[in-house]
């Protein structure tokens, strides 16, 4: 605390230790959540939006009501890094949670021929490859191997 908070704002009151420990515990919980959650575009956007008030806090308690030292202002740097990561995640997250869950349900799905209806079986029996697929046959030809 000595490095992050200016001397005028420091206190030896027991509540300060409790609050600092609670803040650290909350940060650990947030880290565990982030490490185990499925992040979608929406998650990244909401997490990024939730970071914005922390920039106001850092600005206010550094510039308006100078409580934070320059080292204490590193909190803003950490928040900026997380905000950039949220933006990158939002920009690159490929699918929605609904689509992810749909794909996850199908991941271990097994279909047996005996479970297929007659219409599906007939569609499989009479299926013809497209011209594009036929053009790739040379990739799996077994000529000359014997």
């Amino acid at each position: 605390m000595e490095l992050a908070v200016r001397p005028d704002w420091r206190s030896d009151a027991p509540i300060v230790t409790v609050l600092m420990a609670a803040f650290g515990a909350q940060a650990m919980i947030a880290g565990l959540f982030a490490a185990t959650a499925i992040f979608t575009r929406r998650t990244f956007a909401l997490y990024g939006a939730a970071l914005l008030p922390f920039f106001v806090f850092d600005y206010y308690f550094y510039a308006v009501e100078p409580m934070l030292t320059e080292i204490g202002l590193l909190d803003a740097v950490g928040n900026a890094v997380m905000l950039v990561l949220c933006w990158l995640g939002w920009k690159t997250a490929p699918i929605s949670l609904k689509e992810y869950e749909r794909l996850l349900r199908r991941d271990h799905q097994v279909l047996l021929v005996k479970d297929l209806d007659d219409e599906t079986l007939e569609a499989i029996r009479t299926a013809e490859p497209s011209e594009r697929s036929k053009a790739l046959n040379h990739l799996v030809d077994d000529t000359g191997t014997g």
Side-chain angles (χ1 to χ4, degrees):
M1 190 157 97
E2 285 76 22
L3 294 174
V5 178
R6 296 183 191 277
D8 302 354
W9 290 87
R10 293 182 197 152
S11 171
D12 293 330
I15 190 68
V16 173
T17 306
V18 173
L19 292 174
M20 292 299 282
F23 180 74
Q26 184 181 18
M28 291 298 297
I29 290 169
L32 288 171
F33 167 76
T36 58
I38 297 168
F39 273 61
T40 64
R41 289 176 60 95
R42 183 177 181 183
T43 311
F44 283 113
L46 291 173
Y47 197 94
L51 286 170
L52 297 178
F54 292 97
F55 289 102
V56 174
F57 171 90
D58 291 330
Y59 169 77
Y60 183 82
F61 285 110
Y62 181 77
V64 177
E65 190 70 45
M67 180 181 79
L68 297 175
T69 65
E70 285 73 17
I71 291 175
L73 198 57
L74 286 175
D75 182 63
V77 174
N79 291 335
V81 168
M82 287 191 291
L83 189 61
V84 168
L85 291 174
C86 284
W87 176 74
L88 290 171
W90 175 83
K91 190 175 167 189
T92 59
I95 57 176
S96 68
L97 181 59
K98 187 175 181 180
E99 177 66 3
Y100 173 81
E101 288 172 341
R102 184 189 74 79
L103 292 173
L104 193 61
R105 281 193 306 274
R106 296 199 49 115
D107 186 40
H108 298 291
Q109 187 175 7
V110 176
L111 296 174
L112 302 174
V113 173
K114 68 177 186 166
D115 296 330
L116 298 176
D117 60 54
D118 291 337
E119 183 181 345
T120 302
L121 286 171
E122 187 60 25
I124 293 170
R125 278 191 207 103
T126 59
E128 290 289 328
S130 68
E131 292 304 315
R132 184 175 171 205
S133 294
K134 288 178 186 177
L136 299 174
N137 280 347
H138 69 280
L139 295 175
V140 292
D141 281 343
D142 202 20
T143 57
T145 59

